[in-house]
Amino acid sequence: MAAEDHAPRTKPHGDKSKKRKKPKKDKWGQPISAAADAEVPLVEPEQEPPAEDPAAEAEEAPAPVAEGYEPSKVVASGLPYSTTEAEIRKLFEFYGPVRSVQLSRFPDSGQFRGLAFVCFESDEIAASSLELDGFKIGNRFMRVERCRVTAGSNKKRKAEFQTDPEKSEGCLSAYVGNLSWNVTEKDLRDFFKSSKIASIRFAIDKRTGGSRGFCHVDFQDDESLEKAVAMNQSELQGRPVTVAYSVSNRG
């Protein structure tokens, strides 16, 4: 009797243990198989690579250019007016391949005004070229900086990058630029002493009332004009003066 009483007691105990090991059911009441449980961990590693790809691409991508500046482009100013495009290109090619060099010119005369835009093949090269800031060319110190994006500047640049203008029929006037702020009419008459001057018209800054650094000189005859133009890049008060045929603005 004792043995018979002991035996049934082990069966309920065994039954309970089996119930605890029953597989869990999903929300539809279906049992989740062991194979399905084994597949669950495999889903997460497959989802990880897509999350890593954007990070990897971000590391390979170049650093963004500061807002308001054109990528891979710098502007060089303060150059002597006698500087050529070839000389500017050779100077900047020391840092890497140069795509283009654009010379800014005076709208009136078409003469180079000491300002150039240099575009490189990469923004990294452009950043390296900033080392030229303060570089001395002739008796002037060049300034090199990032090229700012200027809204509506395309129309202005179109006029600036045109070729040097030819002498128009009946022209007796010359554009004279890169003048020192304190140059007087007497200084200019002495400068063009071999020519007969009819009048001198200085460009005046409306805000300050001072000279804007250029003027137009009207001559009495064609011979006087030709002599004056031949003095282009001659020095006046320590500065190379630009002298070119005057071109009327046509809007």
Side-chain angles (χ1 to χ4, degrees), residues 42 78 97 107 116 129 185-186 227:
L42 299 176
S129 73
E185 182 173 334
K186 182 180 182 304
K227 287 181 179 180

Side-chain angles (χ1 to χ4, degrees), residues 30-80:
Q30 298 298 322
I32 300 174
S33 64
D37 288 340
E39 291 176 358
V40 172
L42 299 176
V43 177
E44 294 181 358
E46 292 177 356
Q47 295 175 345
E48 290 179 2
E52 293 176 358
D53 289 342
E57 292 177 1
E59 290 179 0
E60 295 177 359
V65 182
E67 187 176 353
Y69 294 90
E70 294 190 32
S72 308
K73 197 171 187 179
V74 299
V75 56
S77 58
L79 294 162

